Amino acid sequence: MVQKFHSVYYCAIVVSFGAFILGLDAALISGTIKFVSAEFSLSDMQIGTMVSAPGLAVLFALMFTGYICNRIGRKKTLIGISFVYIFSAIASTFAPNYETLVIARFIGGLAFTSLSVAAMYIGEIAPPALRGRLVAMVQISIVVGFSAAYFINYGMLQLSQSTTQWVIDLGLTTHTWRWMLAIEILPAIIWFSLLFTIPKSPRWLVLRGHVDEAKEVLHAFGKGPKVDEELIQIQESLVGIDENASFSRSFKYLFEKRVRMAVIIAFVFGVVQQVTGINAILFYAPTVFEQLGVGTDAAFLNAVIVGFTGMIFTVLGILLIDKVGRRPLAVWGLAWVTISLFICYYGFSQATYSLSAEFVAQLSSQHQIQGLDALIGQVFQSDFEFKAAVIQVLGEGTFRQFEGDILQSAGTIPVAIIMVGIISFIMAFHMTIGPVLWVLFSEIFPTHVRGIAIPTFAFISSMVSYFVQQFFPWLLTNLGASQIFLFYAISGLIGYILMYKIMPETKNKTIEEIELMFNKGAA
């Protein structure tokens, strides 16, 4: 028997809480980079590996997530994912060396599939009129997780500079990065517990032949007289489908003519959303802001501002997505994103760098750093040329240790222009293409391919995200910020053109009605 559940809203909140944990995981690591790099003497590529390890792991996990979801169900899959989060958070906190930390984060990345499974589950339980805002809760949960992590990182940074006895006793001054990562453990345990209170997906139950149980779940959600009609629609969409199909057979469904348009849209949007560089900014927020020459403390504080801005505009996006529609938010959101990235490119391209004799003398006397005298008075037209010259003199490890101070002293940077571009980009992404992606993934695929399709295109999106995260530190050192943002901007422009041509409107339509719409277009 199916018990009386709280509501569709309750289930959506519980399931999307996993995205909050993902946001915590991703942003907490951004605050540890300086500390871990100093403790383990990491190179650019090692930093990239540490940050992007979950992004690599999720690529492997997504290959099998869809099949597992179809076999054991969305609910049981989420419970397993939540346990992986708990294990990874504990292992990361107590990692004795760099290699162990990377392995622990890699294991945690297997749980990043929580995004695609959450979008799948919510899309299957939500009524058409509410699907947009309910699925978009996944995005707001990520952003709240990012915001909480940035705030925690900033607070931990301030505590690490304190001489208060209890701070010293707890090891906050000597194990700052471990305390940052430990924060994730408690919410992961809470999520694991809450997942036992939600029902199985009614569409998955029909797929597995448990029609009576699916009917009970729909009644528990308050579907009333529409239950029988919805069950008929679901059953008709599954005619000729083998619910026990193998992984390879299930994957072949993606090449059917009736899902072709959905596949094209998901592929293009999945790539474009990530190639604009959102995870370079979110996963490396303090590092990005240090390039503005504002210093380490201000860089962490600016990361808090980014998180807060993203949270506000994600809420706005959720309020608009079922009113304005998916197409306007996606298409014009990409235009806004592109303009913002071009502003960032222009700002960084105007920056110059030059070391003063006073600063070099101060650094030499306070930290016994020698060799920078030869660079005094030289003017560098790009950050990567300046960094290359300093690294050649100091070595990469010493430069990393004092990077914030050096850039703060040497840079003549139009900070206001770049900040406008970055904040505008954060506003645009979180209000438009951020939440729209998961809403589209949750609704454009028919029931018989959803278990395979959503993880597959989440895999493609995650693969792009992985490369962005892995190579960002290296690109920042070897190409410079201006060229990175130029590439992101051009990618956004190409994405805008493509999505303008192919993006449909899907609001207020059931999953089965969207399938019929695509079939008519393909006929």
Side-chain angles (χ1 to χ4, degrees):
M1 290 294 290
V2 177
Q3 63 186 26
K4 179 68 176 178
F5 297 101
H6 298 264
S7 69
V8 171
Y9 284 100
Y10 171 80
C11 294
I13 290 171
V14 169
V15 170
S16 62
F17 190 63
F20 169 82
I21 299 171
L22 187 155
L24 266 183
D25 188 288
L28 286 172
I29 198 67
S30 72
T32 71
I33 291 174
K34 242 178 153 45
F35 300 101
V36 177
S37 297
E39 184 169 332
F40 299 136
S41 301
L42 305 184
S43 66
D44 282 334
M45 290 302 291
Q46 286 177 315
I47 293 171
T49 299
M50 177 184 71
V51 173
S52 66
L56 178 62
V58 76
L59 299 183
F60 293 98
L62 285 167
M63 293 179 185
F64 307 102
T65 299
Y67 181 71
I68 294 171
C69 281
N70 281 348
R71 294 296 296 175
I72 68 173
R74 289 51 162 148
K75 176 180 176 177
K76 289 182 179 179
T77 303
L78 286 168
I79 291 172
I81 287 170
S82 65
F83 181 79
V84 173
Y85 270 131
I86 296 170
F87 178 85
S88 171
I90 294 173
S92 297
T93 300
F94 295 100
N97 51 48
Y98 165 73
E99 291 76 15
T100 306
L101 178 59
V102 170
I103 292 171
R105 286 187 50 73
F106 182 89
I107 293 172
L110 300 175
F112 277 24
T113 55
S114 58
L115 291 185
S116 60
V117 182
M120 185 191 310
Y121 178 90
I122 297 172
E124 291 177 354
I125 67 170
L130 296 177
R131 189 189 306 118
R133 71 186 66 176
L134 289 180
V135 174
M137 287 174 63
V138 173
Q139 183 66 24
I140 187 62
S141 296
I142 296 174
V143 177
V144 172
F146 271 107
S147 300
Y150 293 143
F151 183 79
I152 290 165
N153 284 343
Y154 181 70
M156 290 290 184
L157 180 68
Q158 300 307 306
L159 284 174
S160 70
Q161 300 167 359
S162 172
T163 57
T164 307
Q165 190 58 46
W166 69 267
V167 172
I168 297 173
D169 291 341
L170 288 174
L172 285 166
T173 55
T174 54
H175 301 295
T176 310
W177 67 269
R178 296 184 187 278
W179 277 101
M180 289 176 176
L181 297 183
I183 295 296
E184 185 183 335
I185 298 173
L186 180 59
I189 292 173
I190 292 173
W191 189 46
F192 175 79
S193 303
L194 289 174
L195 285 170
F196 287 93
T197 68
I198 64 171
K200 297 174 183 177
S201 160
R203 279 180 167 77
W204 177 79
L205 288 169
V206 173
L207 179 67
R208 304 303 298 178
H210 306 303
V211 178
D212 290 340
E213 190 176 350
K215 190 172 184 178
E216 290 182 50
V217 173
L218 290 172
H219 274 298
F221 282 146
K223 298 282 186 174
K226 294 184 178 180
V227 167
D228 290 334
E229 179 184 343
E230 187 165 345
L231 280 173
I232 291 172
Q233 284 185 332
I234 296 171
Q235 288 172 311
E236 288 178 349
S237 72
L238 296 174
V239 172
I241 303 302
D242 178 11
E243 71 272 13
N244 294 307
S246 64
F247 176 84
S248 59
R249 174 56 186 151
S250 299
F251 190 77
K252 288 179 181 178
Y253 288 141
L254 293 178
F255 297 94
E256 294 177 340
K257 184 177 180 180
R258 58 172 167 163
V259 298
R260 183 182 302 161
M261 195 61 198
V263 165
I264 293 172
I265 293 167
F267 177 82
V268 172
F269 202 16
V271 171
V272 167
Q273 194 223 39
Q274 288 299 323
V275 83
T276 54
I278 183 62
N279 282 336
I281 294 177
L282 295 181
F283 282 59
Y284 294 95
T287 303
V288 170
F289 286 114
E290 275 199 349
Q291 308 311 303
L292 301 182
V294 296
T296 300
D297 283 8
F300 272 75
L301 181 59
N302 283 336
V304 174
I305 295 172
V306 162
F308 187 68
T309 301
M311 190 164 56
I312 292 174
F313 279 83
T314 301
V315 171
L316 289 176
I318 290 175
L319 295 176
L320 290 174
I321 198 165
D322 282 324
K323 295 180 180 179
V324 174
R326 287 59 156 154
R327 177 180 165 83
L329 286 181
V331 173
W332 299 113
L334 274 169
W336 184 3
V337 161
T338 301
I339 293 170
S340 303
L341 291 168
F342 271 117
I343 292 173
C344 293
Y345 156 70
Y346 174 78
F348 277 113
S349 70
Q350 300 304 301
T352 59
Y353 303 84
S354 179
L355 287 171
S356 67
E358 293 79 10
F359 174 74
V360 171
Q362 179 185 358
L363 201 62
S364 176
S365 63
Q366 291 181 353
H367 303 286
Q368 289 75 50
I369 292 177
Q370 305 297 324
L372 290 177
D373 300 59
L375 301 180
I376 293 174
Q378 293 188 43
V379 179
F380 296 87
Q381 300 300 320
S382 69
D383 56 336
F384 83 91
E385 290 178 351
F386 173 70
K387 290 177 186 177
V390 176
I391 289 173
Q392 187 175 7
V393 173
L394 299 182
E396 190 170 342
T398 304
F399 172 71
R400 292 287 173 229
Q401 186 178 355
F402 299 101
E403 181 177 6
D405 293 334
I406 292 173
L407 290 174
Q408 186 175 11
S409 173
T412 302
I413 306 170
V415 176
I417 292 175
I418 298 171
M419 282 298 297
V420 166
I422 291 176
I423 296 300
S424 178
F425 171 66
I426 294 297
M427 291 162 58
F429 183 91
H430 288 299
M431 184 175 172
T432 60
I433 63 175
V436 169
L437 176 78
W438 294 109
V439 173
L440 272 183
F441 279 8
S442 76
E443 64 188 7
I444 62 176
F445 295 111
T447 299
H448 74 284
V449 299
R450 292 168 63 77
I452 292 294
I454 294 177
T456 295
F457 291 100
F459 167 87
I460 293 171
S461 181
S462 297
M463 182 168 60
V464 178
S465 174
Y466 164 72
F467 285 116
V468 168
Q469 296 168 47
Q470 171 65 56
F471 292 104
F472 179 76
W474 184 88
L475 290 172
L476 195 60
T477 299
N478 293 277
L479 291 181
S482 64
Q483 296 305 305
I484 293 175
F485 278 100
L486 177 61
F487 171 75
Y488 293 158
I490 293 173
S491 301
L493 178 60
I494 294 171
Y496 164 75
I497 294 170
L498 292 174
M499 293 303 292
Y500 185 85
K501 291 181 177 294
I502 66 175
M503 179 75 178
E505 184 53 75
T506 56
K507 72 171 184 176
N508 294 331
K509 291 182 173 64
T510 67
I511 293 170
E512 291 71 33
E513 288 170 343
I514 293 171
E515 180 183 3
L516 288 174
M517 178 182 70
F518 283 147
N519 287 340
K520 289 178 182 178

